[in-house]
Amino acid sequence: MTLTGSDLAPADSTGPLPVVAEVPGVDRIPVSGLLAEVPDPRAVVVALHGGAVDSRYFDCPGHPEYSLLRTGQRLGYTVLALDRPGFRSSAPHARLLDPPQRRVDLVYGAVDALLDGLPRGAGVFLLAHSAGCELAVRMAAADRGADLLGLELAGTGRRHQQAAHDLLWGADRMAGRRPRGVGRLIWEPSRLYPDDVLGGSTVSAQGSHLESRALHDWAVREFLGLAPDIGVPVRYSLGEYERVWRNDPAEMVAVGGLFTRSPRVVLNRMPNTGHNVSLGRTAPAYHLTVLAFAEECIIARGTGEFSGPALQFDGGAAARPER
């Protein structure tokens, strides 16, 4: 099929540019990231990366076709990928960001600063991966979260797969050290990633103590407590070969059932996909489906409602949470 008269940005558009903003309300802590801007956006997508990487996770070096920022830009979205608190520009200030509310305020402040004077279209859609979901859920559950268009959560959950639980929380774990074998959890099967991407060396970044503290008891306590406070549409995505979190249909439906105030929850289990959904061979397909969901949220914002089942699995029939 050939597109004619399309308003998509040309293939040689500028692409993502590095940005940094100081947030005056939070001790003038700087927040860095990548921004791919369009002059008249459908909406703005704000993306939060996971652990041990930075904002380049969403603009895979050497693979522009995998880039959420470039795909979004070509489809008429401004995309802002931020380095989470404790990464890159904000790393020297990590000791000031232990309280979760300060991290929420910092990121909302960075979004406001970096988008100041720029059109936002229908609003802001929030996307997060893995450890970034902790912050995204807090942001969506906060008072300002009611203004979000929607929320995409990928690579997280409430229950670990048994092998991951034993590795991450077992008796052999040494405090302060990354357990040996984590790479096998998040990068296998290796066939799902190009050789130059496998292992993540091109996007790796040093985090801080914030990472372990922020995620302590996250899945078993805080996620369950915050999810019911989120009142915007939610899509929850896990790869077919996710090895950290349980991705069986029953568990995904149970997680979807946590979002009791959301007008729509879509559960997305992605074929031929591992943990790092934005770096694997199916990343282009994943990003297109994220933007399709964002488009549905834009339409629903205009009409005032969603049609179809409130809890939906893979775009199909209505799903029912476990009793």
Side-chain angles (χ1 to χ4, degrees):
M1 179 177 70
T2 301
L3 292 175
T4 58
S6 171
D7 60 357
L8 301 187
D12 59 352
S13 57
T14 303
L17 297 174
V19 290
V20 180
E22 285 190 345
V23 182
V26 191
D27 297 320
R28 304 200 70 84
I29 294 175
V31 177
S32 51
L34 295 169
L35 176 65
E37 180 189 348
V38 297
D40 184 21
R42 298 284 299 152
V44 175
V45 176
V46 172
L48 302 173
H49 61 84
V53 297
D54 57 32
S55 55
R56 293 172 297 169
Y57 175 84
F58 295 107
D59 188 45
C60 183
H63 291 271
E65 73 279 11
Y66 288 9
S67 171
L68 169 68
L69 289 106
R70 297 170 196 268
T71 299
Q73 186 181 51
R74 294 197 67 193
L75 293 174
Y77 288 81
T78 288
V79 185
L80 174 62
L82 293 174
D83 298 314
R84 287 192 295 115
F87 287 82
R88 300 193 72 178
S89 291
S90 66
H93 309 274
R95 60 183 177 80
L96 301 175
L97 295 169
D98 278 320
Q101 187 59 47
R102 287 181 69 79
R103 299 196 295 274
V104 170
D105 292 342
L106 180 69
V107 174
Y108 269 128
V111 170
D112 289 342
L114 292 169
L115 297 180
D116 184 34
L118 300 181
R120 300 191 183 191
V124 172
F125 181 92
L126 185 60
L127 176 156
H129 176 254
S130 194
C133 294
E134 177 266 341
L135 177 57
V137 167
R138 294 187 189 280
M139 292 174 66
D143 289 343
R144 282 195 59 175
D147 296 328
L148 294 170
L149 277 174
L151 174 67
E152 165 80 10
L153 300 172
T156 191
R158 63 171 194 164
R159 292 178 178 171
H160 291 99
Q161 296 199 25
Q162 189 60 52
H165 180 273
D166 293 344
L167 180 66
L168 297 172
W169 309 109
D172 294 336
R173 183 185 179 187
M174 297 182 65
R177 293 187 182 181
R178 179 174 174 169
R180 295 180 64 181
V182 170
R184 292 195 299 273
L185 291 178
I186 62 178
W187 289 108
E188 290 187 358
S190 61
R191 69 177 184 277
L192 302 178
Y193 304 93
D195 290 342
D196 60 329
V197 173
L198 188 64
S201 62
T202 60
V203 297
S204 64
Q206 184 69 39
S208 70
H209 72 278
L210 282 174
E211 203 75 340
S212 59
R213 291 190 187 182
L215 297 177
H216 184 67
D217 289 339
W218 159 250
V220 298
R221 185 176 64 186
E222 296 186 74
F223 186 19
L224 276 65
L226 290 168
D229 294 332
I230 295 174
V232 299
V234 176
R235 198 178 82 138
Y236 173 52
S237 298
L238 288 174
E240 176 186 5
Y241 293 97
E242 170 68 44
R243 293 185 171 180
V244 179
W245 301 98
R246 275 186 52 182
N247 63 346
D248 54 284
E251 178 61 18
M252 290 189 69
V253 169
V255 171
L258 299 174
F259 299 96
T260 52
R261 285 189 56 216
S262 174
R264 188 174 185 215
V265 179
V266 175
L267 311 174
N268 172 41
R269 192 170 185 267
M270 296 169 285
N272 299 308
T273 303
H275 179 74
N276 287 304
V277 295
S278 288
L279 296 176
R281 300 185 190 278
T282 58
Y286 169 64
H287 295 150
L288 289 172
T289 62
V290 170
L291 295 171
F293 181 66
E295 193 72 19
E296 292 176 10
C297 293
I298 292 171
I299 295 170
R301 172 70 58 92
T303 62
E305 63 179 356
F306 270 111
S307 60
L311 184 62
Q312 181 174 316
F313 202 105
D314 279 342
R320 288 182 171 81
E322 291 178 314
R323 297 293 183 184

